[in-house]
């Protein structure tokens, strides 16, 4: 009987210790989380990174409180920790791809090779980044499709960021006849460039004779513009140069076959 009463007293004392430590720990964690939230709010980290870090810290702090409370109540937590470790190992093996995407997401969020709003080219897709999540990056293509790319692919393949520099070079190629005066041709193209307000003066536009083709001479043109004006400059130059060639008598060659007949 005495042993039973002693066991009841010990259980009550352990439960009281557990409850007191748990309550104090929860209150302390809430106060600490408020402070951490304020600190994170003053940093320049991405909103997604802030939210993720806050969630991880919250889970860890509450886990520490629970383990500490169980230890105070003299509960043997070694077997519990062993079971949790085994479960974590099994889950990690089953979720390898998910974990890869998670780690890759952390790399992207902290290293920032690209951010929301950037224009990128990756894995045959091209468009602007809508958002960067923990497991995937969402891309909005120029023909209004939404593509979700796993973050592990974003860190394991070549990604071209077309927005990072602010400006971009537009490469154009035109063909003219061998009979045309190349000095005149280059002058006509420079005239077209001078009339386009979207083309930057620096870096300086360049017009080169780049190749001798079967039916004509290839002219390569390099002009620079702001990233957001890339397509406007490209398409406008194609049209304006064609019109300028027509006005100045410059011939655009096309493949043709000459058939010579032999009289019997």
């Amino acid at each position: 009987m005495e042993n039973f009463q002693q066991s009841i007293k010990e259980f009550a004392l352990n439960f009281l210790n557990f409850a007191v430590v748990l309550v104090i720990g929860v209150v302390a964690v809430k106060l600490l989380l408020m402070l951490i939230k304020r600190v994170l709010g003053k940093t320049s980290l991405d909103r997604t990174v802030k939210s993720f870090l806050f969630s991880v810290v919250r889970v860890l702090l509450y886990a520490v409180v629970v383990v500490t409370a169980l230890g105070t109540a003299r509960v043997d937590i070694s077997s519990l920790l062993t079971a949790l470790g085994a479960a974590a190992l099994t889950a990690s093996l089953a979720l390898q791809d998910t974990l890869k995407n998670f780690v890759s997401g952390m790399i992207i969020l902290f290293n920032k090779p690209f951010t929301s709003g950037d224009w990128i080219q990756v894995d045959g897709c091209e468009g602007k980044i809508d958002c960067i999540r923990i497991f995937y990056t969402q891309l909005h293509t120029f023909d209004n499709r939404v593509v979700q790319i796993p973050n592990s692919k974003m860190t394991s393949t070549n990604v071209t960021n077309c927005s990072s520099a602010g400006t971009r070079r537009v490469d154009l190629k035109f063909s003219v006849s061998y009979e045309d005066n190349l000095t005149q041709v280059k002058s006509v193209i420079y005239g077209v460039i001078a009339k386009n307000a979207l083309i930057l003066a620096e870096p300086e536009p360049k017009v080169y004779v780049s190749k001798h083709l079967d039916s004509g001479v290839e002219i390569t043109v390099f002009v620079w513009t702001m990233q957001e004006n890339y397509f406007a400059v490209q398409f406008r130059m194609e049209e304006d140069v064609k019109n300028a060639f027509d006005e100045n008598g410059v011939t655009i060659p096309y493949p043709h076959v000459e058939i010579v007949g032999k009289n019997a």
Side-chain angles (χ1 to χ4, degrees):
M1 186 68 177
E2 292 181 1
N3 291 335
F4 178 75
Q5 292 178 345
Q6 184 65 27
S7 298
I8 294 296
K9 289 180 180 180
E10 290 181 358
F11 174 80
L13 181 60
N14 291 336
F15 181 79
L16 180 62
N17 290 336
F18 172 80
V20 170
V21 172
L22 186 63
V23 171
I24 294 175
V26 168
V27 173
V29 166
K30 287 185 176 180
L31 294 174
L32 187 57
L33 287 175
M34 291 175 60
L35 178 61
I36 293 173
K37 194 171 185 178
R38 290 181 182 178
V39 172
L40 287 175
K42 295 179 180 179
T43 65
S44 59
L45 294 174
D46 186 87
R47 183 180 63 180
T48 306
V49 177
K50 292 178 184 179
S51 176
F52 173 75
L53 288 177
F54 184 79
S55 299
V56 171
V57 171
R58 180 174 57 186
V59 171
L60 290 177
L61 288 176
Y62 279 122
V64 169
V65 169
V66 172
V67 171
T68 302
L70 289 174
T72 305
R74 297 182 180 180
V75 175
D76 184 10
I77 62 173
S78 58
S79 57
L80 176 62
L81 293 177
T82 301
L84 289 175
L89 178 60
T90 303
S92 64
L93 293 175
L95 301 173
Q96 288 186 17
D97 291 339
T98 302
L99 291 175
K100 286 180 182 179
N101 290 329
F102 171 78
V103 173
S104 298
M106 290 299 94
I107 294 173
I108 293 171
L109 289 172
F110 283 102
N111 290 340
K112 294 186 177 180
F114 45 81
T115 58
S116 297
D118 281 355
W119 171 11
I120 67 169
Q121 299 171 341
V122 57
D123 196 34
C125 294
E126 182 174 0
K128 288 188 177 182
I129 295 176
D130 275 344
C131 58
I132 303 171
R133 302 297 186 189
I134 298 300
F135 298 111
Y136 65 88
T137 295
Q138 184 168 299
L139 192 68
H140 203 134
T141 65
F142 296 115
D143 56 352
N144 206 31
R145 292 176 297 158
V146 175
V147 182
Q148 293 182 348
I149 305 175
N151 285 331
S152 58
K153 179 168 288 188
M154 299 296 286
T155 57
S156 62
T157 190
N158 293 330
V159 178
T160 302
N161 190 334
C162 302
S163 301
S164 57
T167 59
R168 190 174 176 188
R169 192 180 75 182
V170 183
D171 299 350
L172 301 159
K173 295 184 183 297
F174 304 99
S175 297
V176 299
S177 170
Y178 278 107
E179 286 73 28
D180 289 316
N181 185 302
L182 295 180
T183 302
Q184 180 196 9
V185 170
K186 294 172 69 175
S187 177
V188 169
I189 295 175
Y190 275 121
V192 173
I193 293 172
K195 294 177 183 178
N196 194 322
L198 298 180
I199 295 177
L200 303 176
E202 292 292 337
E204 184 181 358
K206 298 291 184 181
V207 180
Y208 298 106
V209 176
S210 55
K211 189 181 294 184
H212 294 137
L213 305 173
D214 292 337
S215 56
V217 179
E218 181 181 84
I219 308 295
T220 297
V221 179
F222 297 143
V223 294
W224 291 82
T225 187
M226 301 303 295
Q227 180 270 326
E228 61 269 19
N229 297 327
Y230 178 84
F231 288 114
V233 169
Q234 181 186 39
F235 297 142
R236 189 66 190 177
M237 281 290 295
E238 293 283 358
E239 180 178 346
D240 289 350
V241 168
K242 170 61 169 65
N243 291 333
F245 280 180
D246 291 343
E247 292 172 2
N248 291 272
V250 178
T251 304
I252 298 178
Y254 54 89
H256 61 278
V257 178
E258 183 177 343
I259 301 175
V260 179
K262 184 176 179 181
N263 295 327

PDB file of all heavy atoms in Angstrom, residues 238-261:
ATOM      1  N   GLU A 238      14.097  44.368 -87.826  1.00  0.00           N
ATOM      2  CA  GLU A 238      13.868  43.504 -88.980  1.00  0.00           C
ATOM      3  C   GLU A 238      12.986  44.219 -90.017  1.00  0.00           C
ATOM      4  O   GLU A 238      13.261  44.190 -91.220  1.00  0.00           O
ATOM      5  CB  GLU A 238      13.193  42.201 -88.539  1.00  0.00           C
ATOM      6  CG  GLU A 238      14.048  41.290 -87.680  1.00  0.00           C
ATOM      7  CD  GLU A 238      15.087  40.524 -88.487  1.00  0.00           C
ATOM      8  OE1 GLU A 238      15.118  40.668 -89.734  1.00  0.00           O
ATOM      9  OE2 GLU A 238      15.885  39.780 -87.868  1.00  0.00           O
ATOM     10  N   GLU A 239      11.949  44.872 -89.549  1.00  0.00           N
ATOM     11  CA  GLU A 239      11.040  45.560 -90.457  1.00  0.00           C
ATOM     12  C   GLU A 239      11.670  46.816 -91.053  1.00  0.00           C
ATOM     13  O   GLU A 239      11.601  47.052 -92.274  1.00  0.00           O
ATOM     14  CB  GLU A 239       9.754  45.939 -89.712  1.00  0.00           C
ATOM     15  CG  GLU A 239       8.730  46.673 -90.565  1.00  0.00           C
ATOM     16  CD  GLU A 239       7.460  46.999 -89.810  1.00  0.00           C
ATOM     17  OE1 GLU A 239       7.260  46.430 -88.707  1.00  0.00           O
ATOM     18  OE2 GLU A 239       6.663  47.832 -90.303  1.00  0.00           O
ATOM     19  N   ASP A 240      12.299  47.643 -90.208  1.00  0.00           N
ATOM     20  CA  ASP A 240      12.843  48.917 -90.677  1.00  0.00           C
ATOM     21  C   ASP A 240      14.009  48.727 -91.644  1.00  0.00           C
ATOM     22  O   ASP A 240      14.155  49.491 -92.618  1.00  0.00           O
ATOM     23  CB  ASP A 240      13.291  49.769 -89.483  1.00  0.00           C
ATOM     24  CG  ASP A 240      12.108  50.291 -88.676  1.00  0.00           C
ATOM     25  OD1 ASP A 240      10.970  50.158 -89.154  1.00  0.00           O
ATOM     26  OD2 ASP A 240      12.331  50.832 -87.569  1.00  0.00           O
ATOM     27  N   VAL A 241      14.847  47.726 -91.394  1.00  0.00           N
ATOM     28  CA  VAL A 241      15.973  47.481 -92.301  1.00  0.00           C
ATOM     29  C   VAL A 241      15.469  47.020 -93.660  1.00  0.00           C
ATOM     30  O   VAL A 241      15.976  47.450 -94.710  1.00  0.00           O
ATOM     31  CB  VAL A 241      16.950  46.454 -91.688  1.00  0.00           C
ATOM     32  CG1 VAL A 241      17.955  45.970 -92.729  1.00  0.00           C
ATOM     33  CG2 VAL A 241      17.690  47.066 -90.502  1.00  0.00           C
ATOM     34  N   LYS A 242      14.467  46.151 -93.676  1.00  0.00           N
ATOM     35  CA  LYS A 242      13.893  45.707 -94.951  1.00  0.00           C
ATOM     36  C   LYS A 242      13.341  46.904 -95.737  1.00  0.00           C
ATOM     37  O   LYS A 242      13.587  47.051 -96.947  1.00  0.00           O
ATOM     38  CB  LYS A 242      12.767  44.696 -94.689  1.00  0.00           C
ATOM     39  CG  LYS A 242      11.921  44.323 -95.908  1.00  0.00           C
ATOM     40  CD  LYS A 242      12.749  43.672 -97.011  1.00  0.00           C
ATOM     41  CE  LYS A 242      11.865  43.068 -98.102  1.00  0.00           C
ATOM     42  NZ  LYS A 242      11.076  44.074 -98.845  1.00  0.00           N
ATOM     43  N   ASN A 243      12.598  47.778 -95.068  1.00  0.00           N
ATOM     44  CA  ASN A 243      12.047  48.954 -95.745  1.00  0.00           C
ATOM     45  C   ASN A 243      13.159  49.882 -96.231  1.00  0.00           C
ATOM     46  O   ASN A 243      13.081  50.446 -97.336  1.00  0.00           O
ATOM     47  CB  ASN A 243      11.113  49.714 -94.807  1.00  0.00           C
ATOM     48  CG  ASN A 243       9.833  48.944 -94.516  1.00  0.00           C
ATOM     49  OD1 ASN A 243       9.396  48.129 -95.327  1.00  0.00           O
ATOM     50  ND2 ASN A 243       9.220  49.201 -93.372  1.00  0.00           N
ATOM     51  N   ALA A 244      14.202  50.041 -95.422  1.00  0.00           N
ATOM     52  CA  ALA A 244      15.319  50.910 -95.812  1.00  0.00           C
ATOM     53  C   ALA A 244      16.074  50.328 -97.005  1.00  0.00           C
ATOM     54  O   ALA A 244      16.517  51.078 -97.894  1.00  0.00           O
ATOM     55  CB  ALA A 244      16.264  51.111 -94.629  1.00  0.00           C
ATOM     56  N   PHE A 245      16.240  49.027 -97.050  1.00  0.00           N
ATOM     57  CA  PHE A 245      16.887  48.389 -98.199  1.00  0.00           C
ATOM     58  C   PHE A 245      16.080  48.652 -99.471  1.00  0.00           C
ATOM     59  O   PHE A 245      16.635  48.960-100.536  1.00  0.00           O
ATOM     60  CB  PHE A 245      17.022  46.886 -97.962  1.00  0.00           C
ATOM     61  CG  PHE A 245      18.183  46.489 -97.082  1.00  0.00           C
ATOM     62  CD1 PHE A 245      18.417  45.149 -96.777  1.00  0.00           C
ATOM     63  CD2 PHE A 245      19.050  47.438 -96.570  1.00  0.00           C
ATOM     64  CE1 PHE A 245      19.484  44.772 -95.985  1.00  0.00           C
ATOM     65  CE2 PHE A 245      20.125  47.070 -95.769  1.00  0.00           C
ATOM     66  CZ  PHE A 245      20.330  45.737 -95.465  1.00  0.00           C
ATOM     67  N   ASP A 246      14.756  48.516 -99.367  1.00  0.00           N
ATOM     68  CA  ASP A 246      13.901  48.754-100.537  1.00  0.00           C
ATOM     69  C   ASP A 246      14.017  50.201-101.011  1.00  0.00           C
ATOM     70  O   ASP A 246      14.102  50.466-102.226  1.00  0.00           O
ATOM     71  CB  ASP A 246      12.444  48.438-100.196  1.00  0.00           C
ATOM     72  CG  ASP A 246      12.207  46.950 -99.971  1.00  0.00           C
ATOM     73  OD1 ASP A 246      13.074  46.151-100.382  1.00  0.00           O
ATOM     74  OD2 ASP A 246      11.168  46.597 -99.376  1.00  0.00           O
ATOM     75  N   GLU A 247      14.053  51.142-100.077  1.00  0.00           N
ATOM     76  CA  GLU A 247      14.120  52.560-100.443  1.00  0.00           C
ATOM     77  C   GLU A 247      15.455  52.935-101.076  1.00  0.00           C
ATOM     78  O   GLU A 247      15.522  53.859-101.896  1.00  0.00           O
ATOM     79  CB  GLU A 247      13.890  53.417 -99.196  1.00  0.00           C
ATOM     80  CG  GLU A 247      12.471  53.330 -98.632  1.00  0.00           C
ATOM     81  CD  GLU A 247      12.336  54.039 -97.311  1.00  0.00           C
ATOM     82  OE1 GLU A 247      13.351  54.642 -96.852  1.00  0.00           O
ATOM     83  OE2 GLU A 247      11.240  54.000 -96.716  1.00  0.00           O
ATOM     84  N   ASN A 248      16.526  52.225-100.736  1.00  0.00           N
ATOM     85  CA  ASN A 248      17.861  52.573-101.210  1.00  0.00           C
ATOM     86  C   ASN A 248      18.379  51.608-102.280  1.00  0.00           C
ATOM     87  O   ASN A 248      19.567  51.626-102.604  1.00  0.00           O
ATOM     88  CB  ASN A 248      18.845  52.611-100.039  1.00  0.00           C
ATOM     89  CG  ASN A 248      18.590  53.778 -99.100  1.00  0.00           C
ATOM     90  OD1 ASN A 248      19.107  54.878 -99.308  1.00  0.00           O
ATOM     91  ND2 ASN A 248      17.789  53.539 -98.060  1.00  0.00           N
ATOM     92  N   GLY A 249      17.502  50.749-102.765  1.00  0.00           N
ATOM     93  CA  GLY A 249      17.889  49.854-103.857  1.00  0.00           C
ATOM     94  C   GLY A 249      18.832  48.738-103.456  1.00  0.00           C
ATOM     95  O   GLY A 249      19.552  48.199-104.296  1.00  0.00           O
ATOM     96  N   VAL A 250      18.852  48.383-102.201  1.00  0.00           N
ATOM     97  CA  VAL A 250      19.690  47.266-101.736  1.00  0.00           C
ATOM     98  C   VAL A 250      18.921  45.973-101.962  1.00  0.00           C
ATOM     99  O   VAL A 250      17.756  45.848-101.566  1.00  0.00           O
ATOM    100  CB  VAL A 250      20.052  47.420-100.246  1.00  0.00           C
ATOM    101  CG1 VAL A 250      20.870  46.218 -99.773  1.00  0.00           C
ATOM    102  CG2 VAL A 250      20.824  48.715-100.007  1.00  0.00           C
ATOM    103  N   THR A 251      19.592  45.018-102.570  1.00  0.00           N
ATOM    104  CA  THR A 251      18.942  43.760-102.936  1.00  0.00           C
ATOM    105  C   THR A 251      19.132  42.711-101.846  1.00  0.00           C
ATOM    106  O   THR A 251      20.253  42.473-101.380  1.00  0.00           O
ATOM    107  CB  THR A 251      19.528  43.209-104.247  1.00  0.00           C
ATOM    108  OG1 THR A 251      19.400  44.213-105.265  1.00  0.00           O
ATOM    109  CG2 THR A 251      18.799  41.944-104.673  1.00  0.00           C
ATOM    110  N   ILE A 252      18.038  42.100-101.443  1.00  0.00           N
ATOM    111  CA  ILE A 252      18.112  40.960-100.513  1.00  0.00           C
ATOM    112  C   ILE A 252      18.059  39.694-101.353  1.00  0.00           C
ATOM    113  O   ILE A 252      17.030  39.391-101.976  1.00  0.00           O
ATOM    114  CB  ILE A 252      16.949  41.000 -99.511  1.00  0.00           C
ATOM    115  CG1 ILE A 252      17.026  42.275 -98.667  1.00  0.00           C
ATOM    116  CG2 ILE A 252      16.988  39.770 -98.611  1.00  0.00           C
ATOM    117  CD1 ILE A 252      15.892  42.422 -97.679  1.00  0.00           C
ATOM    118  N   PRO A 253      19.153  38.948-101.430  1.00  0.00           N
ATOM    119  CA  PRO A 253      19.197  37.774-102.321  1.00  0.00           C
ATOM    120  C   PRO A 253      18.366  36.626-101.771  1.00  0.00           C
ATOM    121  O   PRO A 253      18.078  36.552-100.582  1.00  0.00           O
ATOM    122  CB  PRO A 253      20.679  37.424-102.353  1.00  0.00           C
ATOM    123  CG  PRO A 253      21.194  37.882-101.027  1.00  0.00           C
ATOM    124  CD  PRO A 253      20.408  39.125-100.688  1.00  0.00           C
ATOM    125  N   TYR A 254      18.009  35.738-102.652  1.00  0.00           N
ATOM    126  CA  TYR A 254      17.311  34.523-102.255  1.00  0.00           C
ATOM    127  C   TYR A 254      17.827  33.392-103.131  1.00  0.00           C
ATOM    128  O   TYR A 254      18.295  33.610-104.254  1.00  0.00           O
ATOM    129  CB  TYR A 254      15.792  34.681-102.415  1.00  0.00           C
ATOM    130  CG  TYR A 254      15.353  35.119-103.787  1.00  0.00           C
ATOM    131  CD1 TYR A 254      15.081  34.171-104.789  1.00  0.00           C
ATOM    132  CD2 TYR A 254      15.221  36.475-104.095  1.00  0.00           C
ATOM    133  CE1 TYR A 254      14.691  34.573-106.062  1.00  0.00           C
ATOM    134  CE2 TYR A 254      14.824  36.876-105.361  1.00  0.00           C
ATOM    135  CZ  TYR A 254      14.568  35.922-106.331  1.00  0.00           C
ATOM    136  OH  TYR A 254      14.181  36.321-107.595  1.00  0.00           O
ATOM    137  N   PRO A 255      17.817  32.166-102.618  1.00  0.00           N
ATOM    138  CA  PRO A 255      18.355  31.057-103.393  1.00  0.00           C
ATOM    139  C   PRO A 255      17.594  30.869-104.705  1.00  0.00           C
ATOM    140  O   PRO A 255      16.356  30.971-104.731  1.00  0.00           O
ATOM    141  CB  PRO A 255      18.149  29.841-102.464  1.00  0.00           C
ATOM    142  CG  PRO A 255      18.018  30.421-101.091  1.00  0.00           C
ATOM    143  CD  PRO A 255      17.368  31.758-101.272  1.00  0.00           C
ATOM    144  N   HIS A 256      18.301  30.672-105.792  1.00  0.00           N
ATOM    145  CA  HIS A 256      17.647  30.422-107.060  1.00  0.00           C
ATOM    146  C   HIS A 256      18.501  29.454-107.885  1.00  0.00           C
ATOM    147  O   HIS A 256      19.705  29.311-107.665  1.00  0.00           O
ATOM    148  CB  HIS A 256      17.444  31.728-107.846  1.00  0.00           C
ATOM    149  CG  HIS A 256      18.728  32.431-108.179  1.00  0.00           C
ATOM    150  ND1 HIS A 256      19.367  33.253-107.261  1.00  0.00           N
ATOM    151  CD2 HIS A 256      19.495  32.437-109.300  1.00  0.00           C
ATOM    152  CE1 HIS A 256      20.478  33.739-107.811  1.00  0.00           C
ATOM    153  NE2 HIS A 256      20.576  33.231-109.055  1.00  0.00           N
ATOM    154  N   VAL A 257      17.864  28.789-108.775  1.00  0.00           N
ATOM    155  CA  VAL A 257      18.534  27.793-109.627  1.00  0.00           C
ATOM    156  C   VAL A 257      18.408  28.227-111.072  1.00  0.00           C
ATOM    157  O   VAL A 257      17.297  28.555-111.534  1.00  0.00           O
ATOM    158  CB  VAL A 257      17.905  26.380-109.442  1.00  0.00           C
ATOM    159  CG1 VAL A 257      18.596  25.393-110.374  1.00  0.00           C
ATOM    160  CG2 VAL A 257      18.035  25.934-107.991  1.00  0.00           C
ATOM    161  N   GLU A 258      19.531  28.280-111.741  1.00  0.00           N
ATOM    162  CA  GLU A 258      19.542  28.663-113.157  1.00  0.00           C
ATOM    163  C   GLU A 258      19.663  27.411-114.019  1.00  0.00           C
ATOM    164  O   GLU A 258      20.605  26.619-113.868  1.00  0.00           O
ATOM    165  CB  GLU A 258      20.709  29.625-113.433  1.00  0.00           C
ATOM    166  CG  GLU A 258      20.732  30.105-114.861  1.00  0.00           C
ATOM    167  CD  GLU A 258      21.841  31.116-115.094  1.00  0.00           C
ATOM    168  OE1 GLU A 258      22.362  31.674-114.096  1.00  0.00           O
ATOM    169  OE2 GLU A 258      22.212  31.331-116.272  1.00  0.00           O
ATOM    170  N   ILE A 259      18.691  27.199-114.872  1.00  0.00           N
ATOM    171  CA  ILE A 259      18.678  26.014-115.739  1.00  0.00           C
ATOM    172  C   ILE A 259      19.078  26.436-117.162  1.00  0.00           C
ATOM    173  O   ILE A 259      18.461  27.316-117.758  1.00  0.00           O
ATOM    174  CB  ILE A 259      17.289  25.356-115.753  1.00  0.00           C
ATOM    175  CG1 ILE A 259      16.904  24.939-114.322  1.00  0.00           C
ATOM    176  CG2 ILE A 259      17.268  24.159-116.671  1.00  0.00           C
ATOM    177  CD1 ILE A 259      15.507  24.383-114.210  1.00  0.00           C
ATOM    178  N   VAL A 260      20.137  25.800-117.658  1.00  0.00           N
ATOM    179  CA  VAL A 260      20.625  26.098-119.007  1.00  0.00           C
ATOM    180  C   VAL A 260      20.271  24.923-119.914  1.00  0.00           C
ATOM    181  O   VAL A 260      20.693  23.776-119.668  1.00  0.00           O
ATOM    182  CB  VAL A 260      22.131  26.348-119.005  1.00  0.00           C
ATOM    183  CG1 VAL A 260      22.619  26.632-120.411  1.00  0.00           C
ATOM    184  CG2 VAL A 260      22.486  27.501-118.066  1.00  0.00           C
ATOM    185  N   GLY A 261      19.490  25.193-120.928  1.00  0.00           N
ATOM    186  CA  GLY A 261      19.107  24.113-121.849  1.00  0.00           C
ATOM    187  C   GLY A 261      20.129  23.946-122.971  1.00  0.00           C
ATOM    188  O   GLY A 261      20.810  24.895-123.384  1.00  0.00           O
TER     189      GLY A 261
END
